[in-house]
Structures are given as structure tokens and as C-alpha cells.
Amino acid sequence: MTGGALVREARLRAGLTQAALAARVGTTQSAVARVEGGGTSPAYEQIERLVAACGLELYPRLVAASDDGAWASVRANLALTVTERVAQLVDAVDFVQSGRRALADRRPPPAAGG
């Protein structure tokens, strides 16, 4: 998420117009619009100040890179129709149930020495 998107989200959550936010921080509506629209690359401190003027706090954090393979799977599932998703779910349930039946049918190994 860009700094401008963070400012816009904070402003909308606070129920403020660009003009109202600009008045709170002593700038112009067009300056806020440029930040939100990506027309400028504001410093972190400016983004933090704009977000604070909306009554919110910005908490930056670093997160470990995610496994892209998981997202590929999500995208593939989203491409399926509802019917296809249900069919996959039914197949998965059948697979688990057949595994449970196979485990239940197994006989315990013979006792040692006997």
C-alpha cells in the first residue's frame, strides 16, 4: 500500500474531506489530493502527520516474505466456478473418509515372539 493510499484510507475512516484534512494540517486540499493520488512522494513523517490528523496512528512493520506458491493456489481456486469448488471439496471429504476407513480396517501387528 502506498503512502497516498494510507492517507486516503485514514481520511475516509475519519469521515473527512480532503479540504477538512488539509485544514487540520495547515495545507491545501490540492496538496492532500496530490499525496493521495500519488502525484508526490511524501516523506514518512508527512504521511504519519496526515494519518494522525485523522485521529489514527500509523504502525509500520516488516513481515517475512510469503510463499508465492500459496498465492498461486489461491488464484487458481478463485478461477474455479462454484460447482467446481464444491466438487473439489466433495472429493477431498471422500479422500479423507476413505483414509479413515482404511486405517480402521487395519489389524494390529502380531505380538513379538508369539
Side-chain angles (χ1 to χ4, degrees), residues 7 9-10 24 29 37 42 46 53 66-68 72-73 82 90-91 108 114:
V7 171
E9 179 69 25
R24 287 187 179 192
Q29 177 274 327
Q46 184 181 5
S66 63
D67 178 11
D68 288 339
S73 176
V82 172
V90 169
D91 289 345

Side-chain angles (χ1 to χ4, degrees), residues 32-114:
V32 172
R34 280 193 304 276
V35 168
E36 289 185 4
T40 62
S41 297
Y44 175 81
E45 291 76 16
Q46 184 181 5
I47 295 168
E48 191 174 40
R49 185 170 55 98
L50 289 164
V51 169
C54 296
L56 298 168
E57 236 177 292
L58 191 58
Y59 289 103
R61 64 185 182 136
L62 298 175
V63 182
S66 63
D67 178 11
D68 288 339
W71 286 112
S73 176
V74 168
R75 284 189 289 276
N77 283 327
L78 288 174
L80 298 175
T81 66
V82 172
T83 303
E84 291 168 329
R85 290 183 201 174
V86 170
Q88 277 190 350
L89 181 59
V90 169
D91 289 345
V93 169
D94 289 345
F95 177 77
V96 169
Q97 287 177 340
S98 67
R100 286 182 177 164
R101 281 192 300 273
L103 286 173
D105 291 344
R106 283 180 49 189
R107 300 186 197 283

